[in-house]
Amino acid sequence: MPKLDELKNISGKGHFYMPTPKLVMLGGLMALGILILGGVIGKSFVDYRKDVLTEDVRSRLEILSKGRADVVAAWLDGLKAVGGHITGADVVRLYSTEISLANALGEAGKDKLNKSLLAQKPYMQHTIKEYVRQNNLVQAMMVSDQGQIFLSSLDQPQLSETQLQGVVKVLERRQPIVFPAQLSSGQLLMDIYKPVYALEEESKSPRIVAVMMSTFKVGNQMMEMVATDQLSLDGERIFLMQESDHMIENIMTGDIPALQKLAENALDPFWLGNAGFDAHESVVDGSVVFGVSTDVASSPFVILHEYERDEALYPLVEYAQTVYATTLMIVAILVVSMTSYMVYVVGSRNRRRVTMQQQSMNALVRATEIRDPYLTGHSERVAKLALAIANKMDMNVAERSTLYYAAMMSGIGKIFVPREILNKPGKLLAKEKKVLHEHVNHALNVLQDSNFDLPIDEAISQMYERLDGSGYPNKLAGKEINELSRILAVCDVYCALVQPRSYRKEVPHVKAMTTFEKDADKFDSQVVDVLKHVVASE
Amino acid sequence: MMRNLLLLITFLSFVPALAQAQNLFGSIEFRAASLEALPKWTTVLKKVSLEQHLFNECDENLKICEPASLAAWRKFIQEHKGQVNQDTVQALNDFINQWGYVNDIQNWGVSDYWATPMEFLNRSGDCEDYAILKFVALKELGFPADNMRLVVVQDVVREIAHAVLAVYLEGEEPLIMDSLFNVVLPHTEVLQYVPYYSVNETTRWAHIMPHRD
C-alpha cells in the first residue's frame, strides 16, 4: 500500500497503482534471467558446433597426414628398390663374397682369388659408375662387412664415421635403411644402404657380405611431398620432418634448402594420443594451428599436416552469429510476450482489486449507514466537498480516491461511540471527550487488516488533528499533519456546521467561514481559501 | 622389359672392351680355381659323391632297382655310354627335361635349394636341379667334367634368375642344355641370357657383359 507521501507520485487512469518498483525489478530480473539462459543455450549450441568442427578437422588432418605419409613411404620404397639389379645380381654377390672371404682365407686361398678379383675390379667399378649415371645419383659405393670400400663411383671415396655406423646398422637389421637427408653444397641429399647377401642357402639367413650405399638428390621430390594440391584448403600446410641425432629437423625445400632444427619433443603435441585434440603453436612459425603428425614407416621421416586454427574454425563465426541472433530474437519475443502478459494480468488484477476494494469499502460504509444514517449523510457530504477541493487543487487520482474513501469511512469509528455522547448538544465532559476521541482508534482497528492500496487509515487518523496541536488523538501540529487530513478536517467541520442538528439550526455559510477565520491557526488557510472558492462556485 | 634388358646390359657393361675373345654368351670371364664363395654348389658336389653307390647298386640290377625314375635314368646312361657327341647331348636333354618343373618353395619350403640327383629323380625340381643331374649324367657317360659348367644367368625376358648347363664339345662353341627348352643350341644362338657366374668341380668364372654399341 502506498504511503501518503507517495501518493503525489502515483499516476494512472482509473487504477490505484501501476506495478510497484518491486514488480518492475522482478520483471527486469526475469528478463535478465531469460537473456542469460538464452546466452547459455546459445553458447552450448556454439560449443557443440565447435566440437563437431574440431572433430572434423581432426579426422581430416589424420586422413591427409596418413595419406601423405603413405605417399612418402611409397616413394622411399621405390628408392630402396633402385639398385636391386646390382645388389641382387649373383655376379655382384659372388664378387662381394669373395672380397669378404679374401681376408679370412689363408695365403693359398687368397692367392687363388686375388688375380681374378683384381682383373674383375675395373669392370665392377664401371658398373657402379653406370648405375650412378643412369639413376642420376650423387655417388654410390660398396662397403665390405669389414668396413672397407671396395667399389665406388668416386675416384677417391671416403667413409665417414656416421656412414660406417650406418653400415653396421644394416648388418644388424638385415634390411635396407633410409638415412635422414643431409645438406651438401646447397643440395638435399639422402643415403640409402642396401645389404648384399652371400650366395648361401637363403633359409639359413645368409650372411651379409657387403653394403651398397647410394646417395640420392631428393630436393625436388621432397618439395613435391609437401606441396598442397587442389584438395587442400586455405591455411593448410604440410611439412616433411626427420629424426636425426635425437632431434627433429624440418626439411625446408625450395630454392635454398635448409634443415630447421627443432627440439626432440617438438612434435609431441601433434601426436594423436589420449590427450584431447586441440590447437597448438606451430613448431615452424608459432601461429596457432591444428596439426597431426604421422610417422613414415621404416624411415626417419615424419609428416606434419597443419591447419590454421582461425581458418579451420571460420565457419563457426558465421554459425555463432546466427545462433546468437536467433537466441536474441527468441529472448526478445519471450520477454515482450511475458511483459505484455504480466501487464495484462497485473492490469486485470488491478481492476479486480479495485473493484473488490470498492465493494469492501461500500460494504463498510453501508454498515455505518445502517447504524447511523446521520453519520452517513455527513460522510457523503464531506466526501463530495473534499473531492471538489481536491479537484480545485489539481490532485491526482490516488489522492482523490484516498480523500473520498477516507471521508466516506471516517465515521466507522463513531459507531462504537454511545449516541448520547455523539449527539450531546452541550460541551462534553472530559471523560466523554475521551470516549468520543476513541472513535479514531476504533476506525483504525476496523481498517487495520484491510489492505485498500490507499493510505486511507492515515488520512482518517489525522483528520481530527489541528494545526495548533489542539487536535486528537495524538496532538499533532503544523507540518506533522498531512495535506489530505487537513482537507478532510476543514470539510468535516464545515459540513457539520452547515448541517442542522437536533439541537440547533444550520449555520449559514458566511458564519461558518468566520468560524474558520477565528480558528485560523487550527485549520490550513490555503484549504479554507479553496473551500471559499468551491462553495462560491456552487 | 626392354628397359630391364637395357638396364642389365648397361649395368654389366664396359666401354672399350678388351680385344680378347669374348666367351660364354659373349661375356668377359674372370676365372679362379676357388669355390669358397659357392657353398651351395660344393655341398651338392659332396652329396653327389655320397650317392654314387646308389647308382652303382642300381646299375647292377636294373630290374629290381627302385625307384623307377632312378632305374630309367640308369638305363639311359647304360644305353648311351660311349662317345659323347651332339646327339648324345640332345638325347640327354630330351630325356631329363621329361621331369616336370617344381619350384623350390613348393618342393622344399625354401626359396632356393640345389638338389642332388636322387632328390631330383624322386621329386623333380627347378632349373639348377636339371642342370646338376645333366652334369652328373654326362660325367657318368665319360664326358670330362672340366668341359662342363653349370651357368647361373639372368633371363632378361622373364626377368628372373635361371641356370643352364654349358657343354664344351671338342672344338665347338659351348652347347646350352636348358630345362625350359629341349633343343640344344650353341650359346651364340641363345640371346635372352646374361650370365652371372659359372662353375664346375674345380673352377668358378665371374661374367660381365661388354657394352654393345
Side-chain angles (χ1 to χ4, degrees):
Chain A
M1 196 152 74
K3 297 277 178 244
L4 260 171
D5 40 16
E6 289 169 9
L7 284 185
K8 280 255 178 276
N9 302 327
I10 293 172
S11 64
K13 302 182 175 79
H15 301 288
F16 283 147
Y17 68 100
M18 285 300 285
T20 58
K22 231 195 317 183
L23 204 57
V24 171
M25 221 171 60
L26 186 69
L29 273 171
M30 279 188 70
L32 192 68
I34 292 176
L35 189 68
I36 290 173
L37 186 67
V40 166
I41 291 177
K43 181 153 195 313
S44 77
F45 268 94
V46 171
D47 280 347
Y48 175 72
R49 182 97 179 95
K50 183 175 182 207
D51 285 346
V52 168
L53 213 54
T54 305
E55 180 57 33
D56 280 351
V57 168
R58 190 196 70 88
S59 61
R60 179 190 163 83
L61 287 182
E62 192 182 8
I63 290 171
L64 290 177
S65 174
K66 181 164 187 310
R68 199 55 74 105
D70 285 346
V71 166
V72 176
W75 168 64
L76 290 175
D77 282 345
L79 289 185
K80 282 185 208 172
V82 170
H85 289 108
I86 299 201
T87 57
D90 280 10
V91 60
V92 173
R93 289 167 70 182
L94 179 68
Y95 186 77
S96 307
T97 311
E98 289 177 340
I99 293 276
S100 172
L101 279 178
N103 293 324
L105 293 174
E107 279 309 311
K110 261 199 220 168
D111 230 23
K112 285 189 201 159
L113 280 174
N114 277 352
K115 188 157 160 238
S116 169
L117 291 178
L118 216 59
Q120 201 180 347
K121 180 160 179 174
Y123 296 84
M124 302 303 284
Q125 285 281 95
H126 180 74
T127 302
I128 290 274
K129 285 186 183 167
E130 269 304 296
Y131 161 67
V132 165
R133 194 185 66 83
Q134 283 249 299
N135 293 284
N136 200 19
L137 305 180
V138 172
Q139 61 152 351
M141 59 171 125
M142 292 278 222
V143 180
S144 76
D145 57 351
Q146 258 100 67
Q148 306 265 307
I149 304 173
F150 61 92
L151 290 176
S152 171
S153 61
L154 299 176
D155 290 327
Q156 296 191 342
Q158 283 179 328
L159 198 62
S160 72
E161 185 59 37
T162 328
Q163 287 174 319
L164 193 57
Q165 280 172 17
V167 172
V168 171
K169 241 199 221 173
V170 174
L171 293 172
E172 281 169 15
R173 292 212 210 143
R174 304 181 60 81
Q175 51 176 284
I177 297 184
V178 175
F179 282 81
Q182 313 263 351
L183 268 180
S184 172
S185 309
Q187 273 194 321
L188 280 170
L189 305 179
M190 185 177 76
D191 286 345
I192 296 187
Y193 294 23
K194 284 170 73 84
V196 179
Y197 295 97
L199 290 166
E200 291 172 0
E201 191 79 60
E202 274 163 35
S203 65
K204 286 199 212 120
S205 203
R207 215 157 54 90
I208 297 175
V209 287
V211 174
M212 182 167 82
M213 288 167 38
S214 308
T215 305
F216 294 84
K217 292 180 224 169
V218 290
N220 284 339
Q221 284 156 313
M222 284 189 167
M223 190 152 64
E224 282 172 29
M225 296 292 141
V226 297
T228 50
D229 55 21
Q230 305 123 309
L231 295 176
S232 302
L233 300 170
D234 282 338
E236 275 190 9
R237 294 188 300 191
I238 305 166
F239 297 103
L240 181 64
M241 306 206 170
Q242 60 185 17
E243 283 179 45
S244 178
D245 269 341
H246 301 292
M247 297 245 290
I248 306 270
E249 290 174 342
N250 177 25
I251 301 173
M252 296 167 65
T253 57
D255 289 332
I256 304 177
L259 294 172
Q260 179 190 13
K261 295 207 188 299
L262 306 168
E264 193 181 349
N265 59 0
L267 291 179
D268 284 359
F270 299 106
W271 285 111
L272 289 180
N274 294 324
F277 179 70
D278 205 355
H280 300 278
E281 245 184 55
S282 165
V283 297
V284 173
D285 67 3
S287 58
V288 181
V289 295
F290 290 108
V292 170
S293 62
T294 309
D295 279 350
V296 178
S298 306
S299 80
F301 298 110
V302 181
I303 286 281
L304 173 64
H305 209 112
E306 283 185 351
Y307 193 7
E308 239 180 274
R309 185 198 52 193
D310 291 343
E311 284 284 345
L313 296 183
Y314 181 71
L316 200 64
V317 170
E318 221 187 280
Y319 181 79
Q321 285 171 353
T322 310
V323 166
Y324 286 131
T326 309
T327 312
L328 203 63
M329 212 171 64
I330 293 175
V331 164
I333 290 173
L334 270 178
V335 167
V336 165
S337 319
M338 273 178 46
T339 310
S340 332
Y341 179 72
M342 252 174 40
V343 166
Y344 166 75
V345 163
V346 164
S348 65
R349 252 200 330 139
N350 273 358
R351 279 189 290 278
R352 233 183 327 191
R353 234 177 121 87
V354 163
T355 314
M356 276 169 47
Q357 284 171 13
Q358 283 174 344
Q359 288 168 351
S360 321
M361 286 193 247
N362 291 340
L364 279 171
V365 168
R366 236 172 283 130
T368 60
E369 259 182 36
I370 293 169
R371 177 71 167 78
D372 196 342
Y374 166 74
L375 282 171
T376 304
H378 172 73
S379 301
E380 274 180 42
R381 288 187 289 272
V382 171
K384 279 208 182 93
L385 188 57
L387 272 183
I389 292 178
N391 283 337
K392 255 287 190 307
M393 290 174 77
D394 272 328
M395 291 191 160
N396 66 30
V397 167
E399 290 171 315
R400 282 182 279 143
S401 307
T402 307
L403 276 176
Y404 177 81
Y405 282 101
M408 290 296 282
M409 293 196 282
S410 59
I412 291 176
K414 294 190 182 156
I415 296 175
F416 304 95
V417 176
R419 275 225 183 88
E420 312 84 62
I421 297 177
L422 265 184
N423 294 332
K424 187 177 179 187
K427 255 192 176 281
L428 294 170
L429 299 171
K431 67 169 183 191
E432 285 169 333
K433 263 199 195 154
K434 201 153 158 247
V435 172
L436 176 63
H437 291 173
E438 277 296 301
H439 80 88
V440 178
N441 286 334
H442 291 310
L444 291 179
N445 276 338
V446 169
L447 295 175
Q448 179 177 296
D449 288 331
S450 312
N451 190 0
F452 286 116
D453 292 338
L454 289 171
I456 294 167
D457 50 354
E458 271 184 70
I460 293 176
S461 72
Q462 293 184 6
M463 70 188 270
Y464 301 99
E465 304 280 359
R466 298 289 175 254
L467 289 177
D468 64 353
S470 58
Y472 66 91
N474 294 316
K475 294 196 177 357
L476 299 179
K479 285 200 176 63
E480 291 170 343
I481 305 170
N482 72 76
E483 192 181 16
L484 296 184
S485 299
R486 291 186 203 181
I487 297 173
L488 289 171
V490 167
C491 297
D492 183 54
V493 165
Y494 180 82
C495 290
L497 282 176
V498 302
Q499 196 66 15
R501 294 286 196 109
S502 53
Y503 50 84
R504 64 160 169 82
K505 274 210 212 135
E506 68 213 59
V507 173
H509 166 72
V510 176
K511 196 140 180 262
M513 296 315 294
T514 319
T515 315
F516 281 119
E517 278 163 29
K518 255 204 306 181
D519 288 328
D521 44 353
K522 289 193 200 285
F523 299 100
D524 190 326
S525 47
Q526 201 183 351
V527 175
V528 172
D529 269 340
V530 177
L531 172 67
K532 247 194 244 168
H533 284 112
V534 164
V535 173
S537 56
E538 276 177 13
Chain B
M1 185 253 279
M2 267 322 279
R3 184 175 163 275
N4 284 329
L5 183 61
L6 269 158
L7 211 62
L8 208 46
I9 290 170
T10 2
F11 132 62
L12 291 171
S13 75
F14 170 71
V15 187
L18 296 174
Q20 231 162 358
Q22 285 162 2
N23 298 303
L24 196 56
F25 295 116
S27 68
I28 300 169
E29 301 177 350
F30 306 91
R31 60 171 291 178
S34 164
L35 300 181
E36 296 289 339
L38 300 165
K40 278 196 261 205
W41 174 239
T42 52
T43 306
V44 161
L45 286 177
K46 271 200 213 98
K47 288 196 212 165
V48 168
S49 66
L50 294 175
E51 285 179 354
Q52 191 61 52
H53 75 279
L54 293 170
F55 308 154
N56 298 340
E57 279 162 27
C58 183
D59 283 341
E60 270 154 35
N61 201 340
L62 263 182
K63 288 201 197 88
I64 61 160
C65 176
E66 291 257 305
S69 51
L70 176 62
W73 179 53
R74 296 319 295 177
K75 181 157 178 271
F76 178 93
I77 300 289
Q78 286 173 10
E79 282 170 1
H80 287 81
K81 263 212 170 89
Q83 184 155 33
V84 174
N85 55 27
Q86 202 157 343
D87 292 329
T88 326
V89 171
Q90 182 60 58
L92 180 63
N93 208 38
D94 289 335
F95 176 76
I96 294 182
N97 280 2
Q98 288 176 97
W99 270 258
Y101 184 97
V102 181
N103 74 38
D104 285 332
I105 304 248
Q106 251 181 290
N107 215 357
W108 301 98
V110 299
S111 58
D112 192 27
Y113 180 72
W114 290 29
T116 66
M118 284 311 298
E119 287 170 342
F120 180 84
L121 290 168
N122 282 327
R123 302 156 72 129
S124 195
D126 67 347
C127 49
E128 73 277 355
D129 305 327
Y130 289 84
I132 292 167
L133 185 59
K134 290 166 191 174
F135 177 84
V136 173
L138 282 171
K139 256 184 77 177
E140 295 273 296
L141 289 175
F143 192 73
D146 287 342
N147 293 3
M148 291 188 278
R149 303 189 205 174
L150 186 121
V151 191
V152 172
V153 304
Q154 175 76 0
D155 183 341
V156 295
V157 170
R158 291 186 303 148
E159 292 188 24
I160 60 173
H162 188 43
V164 296
L165 191 68
V167 181
Y168 291 74
L169 293 175
E170 195 70 46
E172 288 181 35
E173 292 292 329
L175 295 171
I176 302 301
M177 297 180 79
D178 195 340
S179 59
L180 296 176
F181 184 58
N182 283 0
V183 178
V184 174
L185 294 171
H187 72 119
T188 47
E189 289 175 37
V190 180
L191 300 174
Q192 72 272 31
Y193 295 143
V194 167
Y196 281 150
Y197 69 91
S198 51
V199 69
N200 64 18
E201 285 170 333
T202 57
T203 313
R204 111 268 178 278
W205 290 261
H207 296 267
I208 301 234
M209 295 302 285
H211 183 70
R212 288 190 198 162
D213 288 321

